[in-house]
Coordinates of all heavy atoms in Angstrom, one line a residue:
A1 N -103.7 -16.5 -13.2 CA -103.0 -17.5 -12.4 C -101.6 -17.0 -12.0 O -101.2 -17.3 -10.9 CB -103.0 -18.9 -13.1
E2 N -101.0 -16.3 -12.9 CA -99.6 -15.8 -12.6 C -99.6 -14.8 -11.5 O -98.5 -14.6 -10.9 CB -99.1 -15.2 -13.9 CG -97.6 -15.1 -13.9 CD -97.0 -14.7 -15.2 OE1 -97.8 -14.3 -16.2 OE2 -95.8 -14.7 -15.4
L3 N -100.7 -14.3 -11.1 CA -100.7 -13.4 -9.9 C -100.2 -14.1 -8.7 O -99.6 -13.5 -7.8 CB -102.1 -12.9 -9.6 CG -102.7 -11.9 -10.6 CD1 -104.2 -11.6 -10.3 CD2 -101.9 -10.6 -10.6
C4 N -100.4 -15.4 -8.6 CA -99.9 -16.2 -7.5 C -98.4 -16.1 -7.4 O -97.8 -16.0 -6.3 CB -100.3 -17.7 -7.7 SG -99.8 -18.8 -6.4
L5 N -97.7 -16.1 -8.5 CA -96.2 -16.0 -8.5 C -95.8 -14.6 -8.2 O -94.8 -14.4 -7.5 CB -95.6 -16.4 -9.9 CG -95.9 -17.8 -10.4 CD1 -95.2 -18.1 -11.7 CD2 -95.5 -18.9 -9.3
D6 N -96.5 -13.6 -8.7 CA -96.1 -12.2 -8.6 C -96.3 -11.7 -7.2 O -95.6 -10.8 -6.7 CB -96.8 -11.4 -9.6 CG -96.4 -11.7 -11.0 OD1 -95.3 -12.3 -11.2 OD2 -97.2 -11.5 -11.9
W7 N -97.4 -12.2 -6.5 CA -97.8 -11.6 -5.2 C -97.8 -12.6 -4.0 O -97.4 -12.3 -2.9 CB -99.1 -10.9 -5.4 CG -99.0 -9.7 -6.3 CD1 -99.3 -9.7 -7.6 CD2 -98.5 -8.4 -6.0 NE1 -99.1 -8.4 -8.1 CE2 -98.6 -7.6 -7.2 CE3 -98.1 -7.8 -4.8 CZ2 -98.2 -6.3 -7.2 CZ3 -97.7 -6.5 -4.8 CH2 -97.8 -5.7 -6.0
Y8 N -98.4 -13.8 -4.3 CA -98.5 -14.7 -3.2 C -97.1 -15.4 -2.9 O -96.8 -15.6 -1.7 CB -99.5 -15.8 -3.5 CG -99.7 -16.8 -2.4 CD1 -100.4 -16.3 -1.2 CD2 -99.3 -18.1 -2.4 CE1 -100.6 -17.2 -0.1 CE2 -99.5 -19.0 -1.4 CZ -100.1 -18.5 -0.2 OH -100.3 -19.4 0.8
W9 N -96.4 -15.7 -3.9 CA -95.0 -16.3 -3.6 C -94.2 -15.4 -2.7 O -93.7 -15.9 -1.7 CB -94.3 -16.5 -5.0 CG -93.0 -17.1 -4.9 CD1 -91.9 -16.6 -4.3 CD2 -92.6 -18.4 -5.3 NE1 -90.8 -17.5 -4.3 CE2 -91.2 -18.6 -5.0 CE3 -93.2 -19.5 -6.0 CZ2 -90.5 -19.7 -5.3 CZ3 -92.5 -20.6 -6.3 CH2 -91.2 -20.7 -6.0
P10 N -94.1 -14.1 -3.0 CA -93.3 -13.3 -2.0 C -93.9 -13.2 -0.6 O -93.2 -12.9 0.3 CB -93.3 -11.9 -2.7 CG -93.6 -12.1 -4.1 CD -94.5 -13.3 -4.2
H11 N -95.2 -13.4 -0.5 CA -95.9 -13.4 0.7 C -95.5 -14.6 1.6 O -95.4 -14.5 2.9 CB -97.4 -13.4 0.5 CG -98.2 -13.4 1.8 ND1 -98.3 -12.3 2.6 CD2 -98.9 -14.4 2.4 CE1 -99.1 -12.6 3.7 NE2 -99.5 -13.9 3.6
V12 N -95.2 -15.7 1.0 CA -94.9 -16.9 1.8 C -93.4 -17.3 1.7 O -93.0 -18.2 2.5 CB -95.8 -18.1 1.3 CG1 -97.2 -17.8 1.5 CG2 -95.5 -18.5 -0.1
S13 N -92.7 -16.8 0.8 CA -91.3 -17.2 0.6 C -90.3 -16.0 0.6 O -90.7 -15.0 0.1 CB -91.1 -18.0 -0.7 OG -89.8 -18.3 -0.9
S14 N -89.2 -16.2 1.2 CA -88.2 -15.1 1.2 C -87.3 -15.1 0.0 O -86.6 -14.1 -0.3 CB -87.3 -15.3 2.5 OG -86.6 -16.6 2.4
K15 N -87.4 -16.1 -0.8 CA -86.6 -16.1 -2.1 C -87.5 -15.9 -3.3 O -88.6 -16.4 -3.3 CB -85.8 -17.5 -2.2 CG -86.7 -18.7 -2.2 CD -85.9 -20.0 -2.2 CE -86.8 -21.2 -2.3 NZ -86.0 -22.5 -2.3
P16 N -87.0 -15.2 -4.3 CA -87.8 -15.0 -5.5 C -88.0 -16.2 -6.3 O -87.2 -17.2 -6.2 CB -87.0 -13.9 -6.2 CG -85.5 -14.2 -5.8 CD -85.6 -14.6 -4.4
V17 N -89.1 -16.2 -7.1 CA -89.4 -17.4 -7.9 C -88.4 -17.3 -9.1 O -88.1 -16.3 -9.7 CB -90.8 -17.3 -8.5 CG1 -91.1 -16.0 -9.2 CG2 -91.1 -18.5 -9.4
D18 N -87.8 -18.5 -9.4 CA -86.8 -18.5 -10.4 C -87.4 -18.8 -11.8 O -88.6 -19.2 -11.9 CB -85.7 -19.5 -10.2 CG -86.2 -21.0 -10.0 OD1 -86.9 -21.4 -10.9 OD2 -85.9 -21.6 -9.0
D19 N -86.7 -18.6 -12.9 CA -87.3 -18.7 -14.2 C -87.8 -20.1 -14.5 O -88.8 -20.2 -15.1 CB -86.2 -18.3 -15.2 CG -85.9 -16.8 -15.2 OD1 -86.7 -16.0 -14.6 OD2 -84.9 -16.4 -15.8
R20 N -87.0 -21.1 -14.0 CA -87.5 -22.5 -14.3 C -88.8 -22.7 -13.6 O -89.7 -23.3 -14.3 CB -86.4 -23.4 -13.8 CG -86.8 -24.9 -14.0 CD -85.8 -25.9 -13.4 NE -85.8 -25.9 -11.9 CZ -86.7 -26.6 -11.2 NH1 -87.6 -27.4 -11.8 NH2 -86.7 -26.5 -9.9
A21 N -89.0 -22.3 -12.4 CA -90.2 -22.6 -11.7 C -91.4 -21.8 -12.4 O -92.5 -22.4 -12.5 CB -90.1 -22.2 -10.2
R22 N -91.1 -20.6 -12.8 CA -92.2 -19.8 -13.5 C -92.5 -20.5 -14.8 O -93.7 -20.6 -15.1 CB -91.7 -18.4 -13.7 CG -92.8 -17.5 -14.3 CD -92.3 -16.1 -14.5 NE -92.1 -15.4 -13.3 CZ -93.0 -14.7 -12.6 NH1 -94.3 -14.6 -13.2 NH2 -92.8 -14.1 -11.5
D23 N -91.6 -20.9 -15.6 CA -91.9 -21.5 -16.9 C -92.7 -22.8 -16.7 O -93.6 -23.1 -17.4 CB -90.6 -21.8 -17.6 CG -89.9 -20.6 -18.1 OD1 -90.5 -19.5 -18.1 OD2 -88.7 -20.6 -18.4
E24 N -92.3 -23.6 -15.7 CA -93.0 -24.9 -15.4 C -94.4 -24.6 -15.0 O -95.4 -25.3 -15.3 CB -92.3 -25.7 -14.4 CG -90.9 -26.3 -14.9 CD -90.2 -27.0 -13.8 OE1 -90.6 -26.9 -12.6 OE2 -89.1 -27.6 -14.1
F25 N -94.6 -23.6 -14.2 CA -95.9 -23.2 -13.7 C -96.8 -22.8 -14.9 O -97.9 -23.3 -15.0 CB -95.8 -22.0 -12.7 CG -97.1 -21.4 -12.2 CD1 -97.6 -21.8 -11.0 CD2 -97.7 -20.3 -12.9 CE1 -98.8 -21.3 -10.5 CE2 -98.9 -19.8 -12.4 CZ -99.4 -20.2 -11.2
M26 N -96.3 -22.0 -15.7 CA -97.1 -21.5 -16.9 C -97.4 -22.6 -17.9 O -98.5 -22.7 -18.4 CB -96.4 -20.4 -17.6 CG -96.1 -19.1 -16.7 SD -97.6 -18.4 -16.1 CE -98.2 -17.6 -17.6
A27 N -96.4 -23.5 -18.1 CA -96.6 -24.6 -19.0 C -97.7 -25.6 -18.4 O -98.5 -26.1 -19.2 CB -95.3 -25.4 -19.2
A28 N -97.6 -25.9 -17.1 CA -98.6 -26.8 -16.5 C -100.0 -26.2 -16.6 O -101.0 -26.9 -17.0 CB -98.2 -27.1 -15.1
W29 N -100.2 -24.9 -16.3 CA -101.5 -24.3 -16.4 C -102.0 -24.3 -17.9 O -103.1 -24.5 -18.2 CB -101.5 -22.9 -15.8 CG -101.7 -22.9 -14.3 CD1 -100.9 -22.6 -13.3 CD2 -102.9 -23.3 -13.7 NE1 -101.5 -22.7 -12.1 CE2 -102.7 -23.2 -12.3 CE3 -104.2 -23.8 -14.1 CZ2 -103.7 -23.5 -11.3 CZ3 -105.2 -24.1 -13.2 CH2 -104.9 -24.0 -11.8
H30 N -101.1 -24.0 -18.8 CA -101.5 -23.9 -20.2 C -102.1 -25.2 -20.7 O -103.1 -25.2 -21.4 CB -100.3 -23.5 -21.1 CG -100.6 -23.3 -22.5 ND1 -100.6 -24.4 -23.4 CD2 -100.9 -22.2 -23.2 CE1 -101.0 -23.9 -24.6 NE2 -101.1 -22.6 -24.5
D31 N -101.4 -26.3 -20.3 CA -101.9 -27.6 -20.7 C -103.3 -27.9 -20.2 O -104.2 -28.4 -20.9 CB -100.9 -28.7 -20.2 CG -99.6 -28.7 -21.0 OD1 -99.6 -28.0 -22.1 OD2 -98.7 -29.3 -20.6
V32 N -103.5 -27.6 -18.9 CA -104.8 -28.0 -18.3 C -105.9 -27.0 -18.7 O -107.1 -27.4 -18.9 CB -104.8 -28.1 -16.8 CG1 -103.8 -29.2 -16.4 CG2 -104.5 -26.8 -16.1
L33 N -105.6 -25.8 -18.9 CA -106.6 -24.8 -19.3 C -107.1 -25.0 -20.7 O -108.2 -24.5 -21.0 CB -106.1 -23.4 -19.1 CG -105.9 -22.9 -17.6 CD1 -105.2 -21.6 -17.6 CD2 -107.3 -22.8 -16.9
Q34 N -106.4 -25.7 -21.5 CA -107.0 -26.1 -22.8 C -108.2 -26.9 -22.7 O -109.1 -26.9 -23.6 CB -105.9 -26.8 -23.6 CG -104.7 -25.9 -24.0 CD -103.8 -26.7 -25.0 OE1 -104.2 -26.9 -26.1 NE2 -102.6 -27.0 -24.5
L35 N -108.4 -27.6 -21.6 CA -109.6 -28.4 -21.4 C -110.8 -27.7 -21.1 O -111.9 -28.2 -21.2 CB -109.3 -29.4 -20.3 CG -108.1 -30.4 -20.4 CD1 -107.9 -31.2 -19.2 CD2 -108.3 -31.3 -21.7
V36 N -110.7 -26.4 -20.8 CA -111.9 -25.6 -20.5 C -112.3 -24.6 -21.5 O -113.2 -23.8 -21.4 CB -111.7 -24.9 -19.1 CG1 -111.5 -25.8 -18.0 CG2 -110.6 -23.8 -19.2
Q37 N -111.6 -24.6 -22.7 CA -112.0 -23.8 -23.8 C -113.2 -24.4 -24.4 O -113.2 -25.6 -24.8 CB -110.8 -23.7 -24.8 CG -109.6 -23.1 -24.2 CD -109.8 -21.7 -23.6 OE1 -110.3 -20.8 -24.2 NE2 -109.4 -21.5 -22.3
T38 N -114.3 -23.7 -24.5 CA -115.6 -24.3 -25.0 C -116.1 -23.6 -26.2 O -115.9 -22.4 -26.4 CB -116.6 -24.2 -23.9 OG1 -117.9 -24.7 -24.3 CG2 -116.8 -22.7 -23.4
S39 N -116.7 -24.4 -27.0 CA -117.3 -23.9 -28.3 C -118.7 -23.3 -28.0 O -119.3 -22.7 -28.9 CB -117.4 -24.9 -29.3 OG -118.2 -26.0 -28.9
Q40 N -119.3 -23.5 -26.8 CA -120.6 -23.0 -26.4 C -120.5 -22.2 -25.2 O -121.0 -22.6 -24.1 CB -121.6 -24.1 -26.3 CG -121.8 -24.9 -27.5 CD -122.8 -26.0 -27.3 OE1 -122.6 -26.9 -26.4 NE2 -123.9 -26.1 -28.1
P41 N -119.8 -21.0 -25.3 CA -119.6 -20.2 -24.0 C -120.9 -19.5 -23.5 O -121.8 -19.3 -24.3 CB -118.6 -19.2 -24.5 CG -118.9 -19.0 -26.0 CD -119.2 -20.4 -26.4
V42 N -120.9 -19.3 -22.3 CA -122.0 -18.5 -21.6 C -121.4 -17.3 -21.0 O -120.2 -17.1 -20.9 CB -122.7 -19.4 -20.5 CG1 -123.2 -20.7 -21.1 CG2 -121.8 -19.7 -19.4
W43 N -122.2 -16.4 -20.5 CA -121.7 -15.2 -19.8 C -121.2 -15.7 -18.4 O -121.9 -16.4 -17.7 CB -122.8 -14.2 -19.6 CG -123.0 -13.3 -20.8 CD1 -122.6 -13.5 -22.0 CD2 -123.7 -12.0 -20.7 NE1 -123.0 -12.4 -22.8 CE2 -123.6 -11.5 -22.1 CE3 -124.3 -11.3 -19.7 CZ2 -124.1 -10.3 -22.4 CZ3 -124.8 -10.0 -20.1 CH2 -124.7 -9.5 -21.4
V44 N -120.0 -15.4 -18.2 CA -119.3 -15.8 -16.9 C -119.2 -14.5 -16.1 O -118.5 -13.5 -16.5 CB -117.9 -16.4 -17.1 CG1 -117.3 -16.6 -15.8 CG2 -118.1 -17.7 -17.9
L45 N -119.9 -14.4 -14.9 CA -119.9 -13.2 -14.2 C -118.7 -13.0 -13.3 O -118.4 -11.9 -12.8 CB -121.2 -13.1 -13.3 CG -122.5 -13.3 -14.1 CD1 -123.7 -13.2 -13.1 CD2 -122.6 -12.2 -15.2
R46 N -118.0 -14.1 -13.1 CA -116.6 -14.1 -12.4 C -116.6 -13.9 -10.9 O -115.8 -14.5 -10.2 CB -115.7 -13.0 -13.1 CG -115.2 -13.4 -14.4 CD -114.5 -12.2 -15.1 NE -113.1 -12.4 -15.3 CZ -112.3 -11.6 -16.1 NH1 -112.8 -10.5 -16.6 NH2 -111.1 -11.9 -16.3

């Protein structure tokens, strides 16, 4: 997910992503991605 900040952000914005925005991005994703950790995983071909 962080690839969005490292590559897409510079593609659409002339200013670099600041630390606060990056930290909030990572924290928000961390919270929601906990919901997809499963005890019965399958092969994910991606």
Side-chain angles (χ1 to χ4, degrees):
E2 199 173 5
L3 291 174
C4 180
L5 300 183
D6 296 336
W7 294 96
Y8 183 70
W9 181 295
H11 178 73
V12 300
S13 177
S14 59
K15 57 182 181 180
V17 57
D18 59 54
D19 291 342
R20 181 184 69 84
R22 183 179 291 272
D23 290 345
E24 291 175 351
F25 176 92
M26 299 299 287
W29 273 114
H30 184 275
D31 288 345
V32 300
L33 288 171
Q34 292 189 66
L35 301 177
V36 301
Q37 302 302 307
T38 176
S39 60
Q40 296 179 307
V42 302
W43 276 20
V44 175
L45 303 183
R46 284 170 119 169

